Amino acid sequence: MEVNSWLTGRRGVSLPFTDECAPLCADADSFRRVFRKVLEHARARAWNYLECRGGKPWFGNAPPSTSFYGHQLDLDADEAALWIQIGSAAAPGDSKGRAKRPDG
């Protein structure tokens, strides 16, 4: 997706507003072909940079320009276990700011 900002200029963002999403490619050859096309598009559109979050195996030894934290949540667990994994900081709060479950 192309983003055009007066602050950061024109750039490509793999999936805006997501924490991480690796490129969906079957193998290294298909990734190289897709990435080559993305770079061609980036040059044609005069992007200042391309932001990709995730896909470290596809980029080999290329150093990242910045770092991000990744989060994983096992959605196969039952509801009680999910609330434990999420933690109280993400749960809705009551009027005193204490975390509680939506049904409790």
Side-chain angles (χ1 to χ4, degrees):
M1 168 179 234
E2 183 173 293
V3 176
N4 195 6
S5 164
W6 66 271
L7 184 62
T8 58
R10 186 180 298 178
R11 67 190 183 281
V13 180
S14 60
L15 282 175
F17 313 113
T18 60
D19 289 333
E20 179 178 2
C21 184
L24 299 175
C25 296
D27 54 41
D29 288 335
S30 62
F31 170 74
R32 282 191 288 274
R33 285 192 306 272
V34 168
F35 195 64
R36 191 176 314 118
K37 290 291 187 183
V38 169
L39 293 178
E40 288 173 12
H41 184 76
R43 285 185 200 97
R45 297 291 303 153
W47 290 354
N48 294 332
Y49 61 93
L50 172 65
E51 182 179 312
C52 296
R53 294 186 185 185
K56 185 176 180 179
W58 300 120
F59 292 102
N61 293 328
S65 60
T66 189
S67 297
F68 298 96
Y69 289 102
H71 309 280
Q72 292 184 350
L73 180 62
D74 179 10
L75 297 178
D76 291 327
D78 65 14
E79 183 181 356
L82 289 174
W83 279 107
I84 291 169
Q85 290 181 49
I86 292 171
S88 62
D94 65 12
S95 61
K96 297 189 189 319
R98 293 184 300 246
K100 67 178 187 177
R101 292 174 42 153
D103 61 351

